[in-house]
Amino acid sequence: MGKIAVYPGSFDPITNGHCDIIRRGLRLFDKVIVAIAVNGTKSPLFTIEERLEMLRESLKDMPGVEVDTFDGLLVDFVVKRQADAILRGLRAVSDFEYEFQMALMNRKLNKKIQTVFLMTGLRWIYISSSIIKEAARFGGDTSDMAPDIVCKRLRQKFGVPEP
Ligand code: PNS
């Protein structure tokens, strides 16, 4: 069996930055399982079903990607899916503290699971799901920041007319 990574997140919604990490993760791993955390602490804009639909559509041209959801501890999901590593993206130094804390906690919970970090591509360094939602809420153009399906669903959510 090849190497498998779990790329976990809220994906509320998926951005071009996420897609970039997944695409580059596929050069290191035979399979990347993109997993939405069902019990996330943030209150999401999109339902799990909406987020799954956007992930599937955005990643349909990437062989080796699987989309799933998980409830409870990430390390338990990684074991269940017989994966080898957790994949996470880092944008700026500001991401580091939270990511470092999470990686150490996950290692404490299961020392066999490694966390692998990839630096986000320069083009996407300023992008986050939150900032895209903020722009879209007031009718801003997000077409260079997120997949088409995401931009469309954001317009529908906020009642912004199609361009
Ligand atoms: O996209 P996000 O919101 O930064 O993703 C955070 C996520 C979902 C990866 C993280 O909150 C998580 O793994 N949640 C599941 C519970 C868990 O195992 N937490 C880490 C150890 S306490």
Side-chain angles (χ1 to χ4, degrees):
M1 195 165 66
K3 290 276 175 208
I4 303 174
V6 170
Y7 182 48
S10 309
F11 303 109
D12 184 46
I14 184 169
T15 69
N16 284 351
H18 293 130
C19 294
D20 176 54
I21 296 291
I22 296 164
R23 197 170 286 114
R24 285 165 44 227
L26 284 169
R27 295 166 72 168
L28 300 174
F29 296 94
D30 300 289
K31 182 160 146 182
V32 173
I33 301 170
V34 182
I36 306 174
V38 170
N39 59 347
T41 47
K42 304 164 189 168
S43 44
L45 175 67
F46 291 102
T47 65
I48 293 290
E49 288 69 30
E50 288 169 330
R51 282 180 271 165
L52 274 172
E53 186 226 4
M54 289 185 281
L55 282 181
R56 290 204 181 101
E57 177 63 25
S58 310
L59 305 171
K60 65 172 190 253
D61 296 330
M62 288 191 217
V65 169
E66 200 184 301
V67 172
D68 202 351
T69 60
F70 72 100
D71 209 345
L73 281 180
L74 172 60
V75 288
D76 292 342
F77 177 76
V78 173
V79 170
K80 190 177 104 189
R81 295 303 316 265
Q82 298 180 290
D84 304 282
I86 295 165
L87 176 64
R88 292 285 287 176
L90 281 176
R91 281 164 305 193
V93 184
S94 51
D95 282 343
F96 183 78
E97 199 170 331
Y98 169 63
E99 293 297 335
F100 187 57
Q101 195 179 20
M102 205 160 64
L104 290 181
M105 176 56 97
N106 284 330
R107 197 200 293 163
K108 180 87 184 157
L109 293 169
N110 186 329
K111 64 179 184 305
K112 291 190 191 141
I113 300 168
Q114 303 299 324
T115 301
V116 174
F117 293 102
L118 288 180
M119 293 304 299
T120 299
L122 259 188
R123 269 184 86 186
W124 317 119
I125 209 108
Y126 68 100
I127 284 176
S128 67
S129 299
S130 311
I131 209 111
I132 289 177
K133 283 184 280 191
E134 178 81 5
R137 183 184 302 274
F138 301 108
D141 178 17
T142 57
S143 58
D144 197 31
M145 305 169 199
D148 290 347
I149 179 73
V150 171
C151 299
K152 192 178 164 78
R153 293 287 177 261
L154 281 166
R155 283 192 295 270
Q156 287 169 345
K157 207 46 118 180
F158 294 126
V160 174
E162 292 292 319

